[in-house]
Amino acid sequence: MKLILVDDEKGIVDGIKIIINRYIPECEIVGVAYNGLEGGNLIQELQPDIVITDIRMPQVSGLDMIKWLKDKGSQTKFILLSGYADFEYARRGMQLGVQSYINKPVEEEELQSCVQQAMKAIRADRAKRQEVDDLKQEVRHLIQENALRDILDVGSDNTELMEELLEMAQIPTKGNGFAGFVLEFDSKLDALKEVSLQQVFCQVDLALEQYDGVYRFRYTGAQVAVVVTQGGPIRYAELLRSVQRLKEEVNLKLELSVTIGVGTIQERAAGISQSFEEARYALSYKVVKGANTVISFTDIINLSGRIQAVPEERIAKLEAALENMDEKECAGIIHDIFQLMEAEPSMTPADLQMQCVNILLASIRKMSFQQLQQNDFLGRHILSLDGISRFRTLECLEEWMIQVIRRIIEFKLEHNIPKKKDIIAEIKEYVSAHYNEPITLADLSARFFISPYYLSQFFKQKTGETYVSFLSRIRIGKAKELLERTDLKVYEICQRVGYSDTQHFARLFEKLTGCKPSEYRKRLPSS
């Protein structure tokens, strides 16, 4: 700890120096002064932890110096020295928060005891401040995580709500660049332990420390979401290098296999959800790129543009046959698709492999990868190109594809997945029954075995609104019922319908109804 001595007697200063250097090695004497004016300026400049000062000195007394420093917000602990056994000095010193009062001549044991007490008090103060700072940091991270979760699920069409959520989370938006990416860990790590998760967060922070803002949190089971912000343009090539370095550090230091999908750079806050959707889409291509790789959305766009995709109507028929568990129909559709590919004169072996992967991706896009990995055959063969690359003829490859489809049907039957289920209707019914719980898009995707990216797009396509908008509408509708039928306070209703932030609830209520919750209740007709 840093210590300063202030006394107009040089002999006293030299003697205290000897005692401290000899018996209190934890303290470092960083400066000395011989009057109160000089001492005050030195203390203001060096900000020591402890000051030992005489009371009566030329120009400015020790008590006046302490008062001047306290008025300026000094947190230093003071120990008073005096050759006058005067209670009045001690009383004034205690009023100023002086730690101890020692009469001259200074005794070694008494000085050691006073300095040790001061150091103990300093450590206790630091521990309390650290505890408060840690709590504030934890609350801030929780607010940011909740806001970013809402942003990632809300879709890119609600700019106003995104801006509001970012402002609430104290995440700068003006003049910033944004990018999102997703880390997905090996299937054996379905639930990362908290210790491992904190270690992952540490590696993320280190790899991306050059950026102004790095926000990371567990997105779902074995996935971690990351949003990067920068007060200016973000160079995509540099970001990809940083993410690649992150992957390598996680491999090396944590001995974990991780695949990372990276979205594009966005110049507006509304683009955060778009970048994150792109990252999730890129991540789905680990079936092509392989696990433990970094996959950028731009690479996938370039990859997809080189060959003609299988016609969408064929994929739709295959999906319908899969929903009906119709193995014969699936085999017929696969045969038709292979006939189309055989008729393509420019089809190369690499193009053929890629077409097969696209067919499989389309076939399983309503199922989560976590679910696919539960099946040994699907996990080994769909999630790599090894199975495809073994075959050298279209006939053998066609038979292998039919076998994979057969295993998908077997898997659906084993897990009692019903035929032709209206998944969106089921999701709406589930949300309507559990609206007061913290239901994220990731939670729903895991519950209904649908990839988050597909669910987000499919929900908007089928209902005309985003999932978050639907959930908000259900919750606010329930809040209106409670305002009409009960005497519950607004904050109690806020909690009853699934919100933890009363101010956010009130703003959302006003946005959807045109008035605040309290005003809505006042407008109700009296019975």
Side-chain angles (χ1 to χ4, degrees):
M1 294 191 181
K2 297 189 297 182
L3 185 147
I4 284 179
L5 303 175
V6 186
D7 197 302
D8 58 338
E9 297 182 52
K10 189 175 184 301
I12 296 292
V13 170
D14 292 341
I16 293 176
K17 273 185 177 182
I18 293 171
I19 295 173
I20 289 175
N21 290 333
R22 181 178 299 170
Y23 299 109
I24 314 176
E26 307 99 306
C27 283
E28 176 192 3
I29 299 174
V30 295
V32 298
Y34 297 99
N35 61 67
L37 181 61
E38 179 186 342
N41 292 330
L42 186 64
I43 294 165
Q44 184 77 351
E45 176 187 351
L46 300 181
Q47 297 293 316
D49 301 296
I50 302 171
V51 170
I52 300 176
T53 178
D54 193 10
I55 293 180
R56 292 201 176 187
M57 292 182 293
Q59 298 183 344
V60 175
S61 73
L63 292 175
D64 289 339
M65 178 190 74
I66 294 172
K67 184 178 185 308
W68 179 75
L69 289 166
K70 289 288 186 181
D71 290 343
K72 290 187 172 294
S74 174
Q75 298 297 314
T76 297
K77 299 294 183 185
F78 293 93
I79 298 174
L80 283 179
L81 296 175
S82 177
Y84 303 88
D86 190 334
F87 176 74
E88 180 60 24
Y89 287 123
R91 188 181 66 81
R92 285 187 58 198
M94 295 305 126
Q95 289 174 344
L96 291 171
V98 170
Q99 185 72 26
S100 304
Y101 183 91
I102 303 174
N103 283 319
K104 296 180 182 178
V106 177
E107 298 289 340
E108 291 179 2
E109 291 184 0
E110 186 177 10
L111 178 63
Q112 289 181 58
S113 175
C114 289
V115 173
Q116 294 289 354
Q117 287 177 15
M119 289 194 296
K120 183 178 179 180
I122 291 168
R123 293 189 185 103
D125 289 346
R126 287 177 178 174
K128 288 180 182 178
R129 285 198 297 270
Q130 186 62 50
E131 186 177 345
V132 172
D133 289 345
D134 289 346
L135 182 59
K136 288 180 179 177
Q137 186 81 341
E138 184 178 342
V139 170
R140 187 167 65 87
H141 282 164
L142 184 60
I143 292 173
Q144 289 175 343
E145 176 181 333
N146 290 335
L148 286 171
R149 278 187 183 278
D150 287 344
I151 288 170
L152 297 184
D153 292 340
V154 78
S156 57
D157 58 342
N158 199 330
T159 306
E160 183 181 344
L161 178 57
M162 286 197 193
E163 296 279 358
E164 182 179 322
L165 288 169
L166 286 169
E167 182 179 351
M168 183 174 65
Q170 298 181 343
I171 298 175
T173 59
K174 302 301 181 185
N176 272 32
F178 304 88
F181 52 96
V182 188
L183 287 69
E184 183 170 86
F185 291 87
D186 187 270
S187 58
K188 296 176 183 177
L189 296 169
D190 289 332
L192 284 171
K193 295 180 180 178
E194 288 302 319
V195 174
S196 298
L197 191 62
Q198 291 304 320
Q199 292 174 333
V200 169
F201 288 166
C202 182
Q203 294 302 321
V204 170
D205 293 342
L206 289 173
L208 303 168
E209 61 183 355
Q210 71 269 35
Y211 297 104
D212 295 339
V214 178
Y215 308 94
R216 68 285 185 281
F217 55 92
R218 185 205 293 268
Y219 184 65
T220 184
Q223 289 187 346
V224 169
V226 182
V227 173
V228 170
T229 68
Q230 180 77 351
I234 298 176
R235 292 185 175 87
Y236 199 50
E238 181 181 331
L239 176 65
L240 291 178
R241 284 195 295 271
S242 297
V243 174
Q244 179 66 33
R245 185 166 61 250
L246 167 61
K247 183 196 77 71
E248 292 168 358
E249 291 297 304
V250 169
N251 293 163
L252 179 64
K253 295 183 178 177
L254 304 184
E255 298 182 351
L256 297 176
S257 173
V258 60
T259 308
I260 307 177
V262 186
T264 60
I265 307 299
Q266 301 292 321
E267 296 180 354
R268 298 180 304 111
I272 291 178
S273 63
Q274 178 182 334
S275 181
F276 193 72
E277 285 179 6
E278 293 170 351
R280 287 189 292 184
Y281 183 70
L283 185 63
S284 72
Y285 266 74
K286 79 175 182 180
V287 296
V288 178
K289 295 287 191 177
N292 202 38
T293 55
V294 174
I295 311 169
S296 72
F297 181 73
T298 53
D299 286 346
I300 298 308
I301 294 300
N302 295 334
L303 183 67
S304 304
R306 288 203 297 265
I307 56 177
Q308 184 178 357
V310 176
E312 183 62 33
E313 62 269 18
R314 303 275 178 172
I315 297 300
K317 286 183 179 180
L318 183 59
E319 284 184 343
L322 275 170
E323 286 183 349
N324 286 323
M325 321 280 188
D326 191 335
E327 184 180 323
K328 184 177 179 181
E329 178 71 11
C330 287
I333 295 168
I334 292 292
H335 179 68
D336 291 343
I337 291 173
F338 269 78
Q339 282 191 320
L340 287 174
M341 291 194 292
E342 187 176 15
E344 178 61 52
S346 60
M347 183 75 69
T348 67
D351 289 341
L352 179 60
Q353 290 182 5
M354 192 56 60
Q355 287 284 33
C356 291
V357 170
N358 285 338
I359 295 169
L360 291 175
L361 279 175
S363 302
I364 63 174
R365 63 184 175 181
K366 291 187 179 180
M367 303 170 69
S368 70
F369 281 102
Q370 290 89 347
Q371 186 183 17
L372 290 171
Q373 289 164 348
Q374 293 172 12
N375 183 286
D376 183 60
F377 176 85
L378 299 179
R380 286 201 320 271
H381 297 289
I382 287 186
L383 300 182
S384 76
L385 285 173
D386 295 340
I388 297 175
S389 62
R390 291 200 312 269
F391 302 102
R392 293 291 179 263
T393 68
L394 276 176
E395 290 79 7
C396 292
L397 184 54
E398 180 181 336
E399 179 55 37
W400 180 82
M401 291 282 289
I402 291 172
Q403 184 185 9
V404 170
I405 295 296
R406 184 180 298 118
R407 292 300 181 96
I408 292 176
I409 292 174
E410 289 175 2
F411 181 83
K412 290 164 74 74
L413 290 171
E414 287 172 6
H415 288 76
N416 298 317
I417 301 177
K419 297 181 181 180
K420 288 188 175 179
K421 63 180 181 181
D422 185 348
I423 193 68
I424 297 302
E426 288 191 19
I427 288 173
K428 291 172 72 173
E429 182 179 346
Y430 178 81
V431 171
S432 297
H434 298 82
Y435 63 89
N436 58 337
E437 300 173 11
I439 313 171
T440 67
L441 198 62
D443 295 331
L444 290 178
S445 70
R447 174 174 289 276
F448 290 94
F449 303 110
I450 304 177
S451 69
Y453 177 78
Y454 179 81
L455 175 56
S456 174
Q457 301 299 310
F458 193 49
F459 194 96
K460 179 72 179 294
Q461 175 188 340
K462 290 292 186 182
T463 66
E465 63 180 335
T466 64
Y467 162 67
V468 171
S469 298
F470 171 75
L471 177 60
S472 299
R473 185 164 54 78
I474 293 295
R475 285 175 168 175
I476 297 304
K478 297 295 182 181
K480 288 167 63 177
E481 292 180 12
L482 291 172
L483 286 167
E484 294 167 4
R485 300 176 184 177
T486 73
D487 294 326
L488 292 171
K489 293 180 170 46
V490 171
Y491 75 87
E492 293 175 317
I493 293 175
C494 167
Q495 295 172 352
R496 288 275 184 100
V497 299
Y499 292 108
S500 57
D501 188 326
T502 307
Q503 292 183 345
H504 175 62
F505 164 70
R507 286 196 296 268
L508 189 59
F509 189 97
E510 184 176 10
K511 184 175 181 179
L512 294 181
T513 66
C515 62
K516 293 181 171 61
S518 56
E519 295 171 353
Y520 181 84
R521 176 172 273 168
K522 289 178 182 178
R523 294 178 185 178
L524 294 173
S526 56
S527 55

